[in-house]
Amino acid sequence: RAIEDELAPKGYHIIICQTHGDASKENESIDTLLNAQVDGILISSSNKEIEPFNRVLAKNIPLVFFDRKKTMKGVSSVVIDDFEGGYNATLHLIKQGYTRIAHLSGNRSIEIYKNRYLGYKQALIDNGLEFNEDYVIQTSSDRISGSNSLKSLLELNPAPNAIFSASDLAALGAIQELKLKHIKVPHEFAVVGFSNEPFTQFMELSISTVDQSPLEMGKIAAQVFLEQVASTTDEKIEKNIVLPTELIIRKSSALVD
């Protein structure tokens, strides 16, 4: 919405392509947009390959990454500080008194999930807590995966007593499984997610989460695109903007005021 709000007054029409993290669909979407001779591409990419984006640059079409980026010379990006987000979420759990903190990680070949994991790990180290690889589960960002991950974690000895999840949906699945097992949240087990999805604040047990500032990210990405279009030089504009995160503390982890 923020991208459209920024670009529509300038006469641009927005084409939205949903790939759901599928690299092949992403490649198809890029080809479709290139064939449509679009004025620019703003993308949150799950693609491991650089070649599709080289095709965009070869046609001299402005390219801006947001949220999930590739590091490419002459290409701008707008992201959040995922390391900071993971660090602060874990630090919050530590300050609440939890000492056995697990992490539900996304695919760490994707930079945002790698950085959230590294932030989690560093917070443990900085506060004198043991980093236990068994407490880290790479999982999909959905409710069922979160539930299954929680089951696996509870089989460990000792089992964790808190989770920092790299996604809100996985966090939701973990909370639902805790409820089925009659484990009290947050008194016996705390959960923090990531993204600040709308459902997290409206549940009876609202979920603590890290806000990604999607509106601000979209607005700035659109502004960077407009700068590229307005540039009168052949030199590519490259801006790498990192936005701060905000930890939103709710009932799922608020054990101590």
Side-chain angles (χ1 to χ4, degrees), residues 19-22 26 44-48 66-70 79-87 89-90 102-122 131 133 136-143 145 164-171 192-197 209-210 212 245:
T19 66
H20 304 288
D22 187 319
E26 185 175 304
S44 175
S45 175
S46 299
N47 206 324
K48 296 180 182 179
F66 65 94
D67 189 29
R68 301 183 184 190
K69 70 179 180 71
K70 293 290 182 188
V79 299
I80 61 167
D81 191 336
D82 287 287
F83 179 94
E84 174 197 68
Y87 189 100
T90 308
H103 178 44
L104 303 188
S105 167
N107 183 347
R108 295 198 295 277
S109 67
I110 298 173
E111 188 172 0
I112 62 171
Y113 295 122
K114 179 183 74 174
N115 288 336
R116 291 171 196 179
Y117 160 77
L118 291 174
Y120 152 81
K121 183 177 181 179
Q122 193 62 50
F131 169 72
E133 189 67 51
V136 179
I137 296 182
Q138 183 168 299
T139 186
S140 300
S141 299
D142 61 68
R143 184 179 57 81
S145 297
F164 160 53
S165 172
S167 84
D168 283 335
L169 282 171
V192 177
F194 204 111
S195 289
N196 195 25
E197 297 285 355
T209 185
V210 179
Q212 294 189 116
T245 58

Side-chain angles (χ1 to χ4, degrees), residues 14-221:
I14 309 302
I15 301 172
I16 298 175
C17 300
Q18 291 275 15
T19 66
H20 304 288
D22 187 319
S24 63
K25 288 183 179 179
E26 185 175 304
N27 291 340
E28 290 175 8
S29 296
I30 290 173
D31 287 337
T32 299
L33 294 172
L34 291 178
N35 290 334
Q37 297 182 321
V38 294
D39 294 304
I41 295 178
L42 285 69
I43 186 168
S44 175
S45 175
S46 299
N47 206 324
K48 296 180 182 179
E49 305 298 327
I50 293 292
E51 192 274 335
F53 308 112
N54 285 332
R55 297 203 307 272
V56 177
L57 299 180
K59 291 183 176 290
N60 205 32
I61 292 176
L63 174 65
V64 180
F65 290 107
F66 65 94
D67 189 29
R68 301 183 184 190
K69 70 179 180 71
K70 293 290 182 188
T71 302
M72 299 178 66
K73 183 175 176 56
V75 179
S76 296
S77 64
V78 184
V79 299
I80 61 167
D81 191 336
D82 287 287
F83 179 94
E84 174 197 68
Y87 189 100
N88 288 341
T90 308
L91 180 61
H92 159 66
L93 290 168
I94 294 170
K95 288 183 175 179
Q96 295 291 287
Y98 301 100
T99 56
R100 302 189 307 278
I101 303 168
H103 178 44
L104 303 188
S105 167
N107 183 347
R108 295 198 295 277
S109 67
I110 298 173
E111 188 172 0
I112 62 171
Y113 295 122
K114 179 183 74 174
N115 288 336
R116 291 171 196 179
Y117 160 77
L118 291 174
Y120 152 81
K121 183 177 181 179
Q122 193 62 50
L124 295 178
I125 294 170
D126 288 350
N127 288 274
L129 296 182
E130 179 185 0
F131 169 72
N132 185 344
E133 189 67 51
D134 291 338
Y135 282 0
V136 179
I137 296 182
Q138 183 168 299
T139 186
S140 300
S141 299
D142 61 68
R143 184 179 57 81
I144 298 300
S145 297
S147 174
N148 290 336
S149 297
L150 190 280
K151 291 177 185 176
S152 297
L153 288 169
L154 291 181
E155 292 176 356
L156 298 175
N157 186 19
N161 60 2
I163 284 175
F164 160 53
S165 172
S167 84
D168 283 335
L169 282 171
L172 172 61
I175 288 173
Q176 290 175 335
E177 188 63 30
L178 288 165
K179 185 176 181 180
L180 288 174
K181 295 184 178 301
H182 305 289
I183 297 174
K184 296 178 182 179
V185 179
H187 299 89
E188 296 176 317
F189 203 111
V191 179
V192 177
F194 204 111
S195 289
N196 195 25
E197 297 285 355
F199 70 82
T200 57
Q201 63 180 309
F202 297 118
M203 297 176 59
E204 181 179 357
L205 180 69
S206 57
I207 301 176
S208 298
T209 185
V210 179
D211 186 62
Q212 294 189 116
S213 304
L215 295 180
E216 183 71 8
M217 190 185 303
K219 178 181 178 181
I220 294 174

Side-chain angles (χ1 to χ4, degrees), residues 241-253:
I241 299 168
V242 181
L243 302 176
T245 58
E246 179 187 1
L247 175 64
I248 300 174
I249 300 171
R250 299 190 178 116
K251 291 181 181 179
S252 69
S253 67

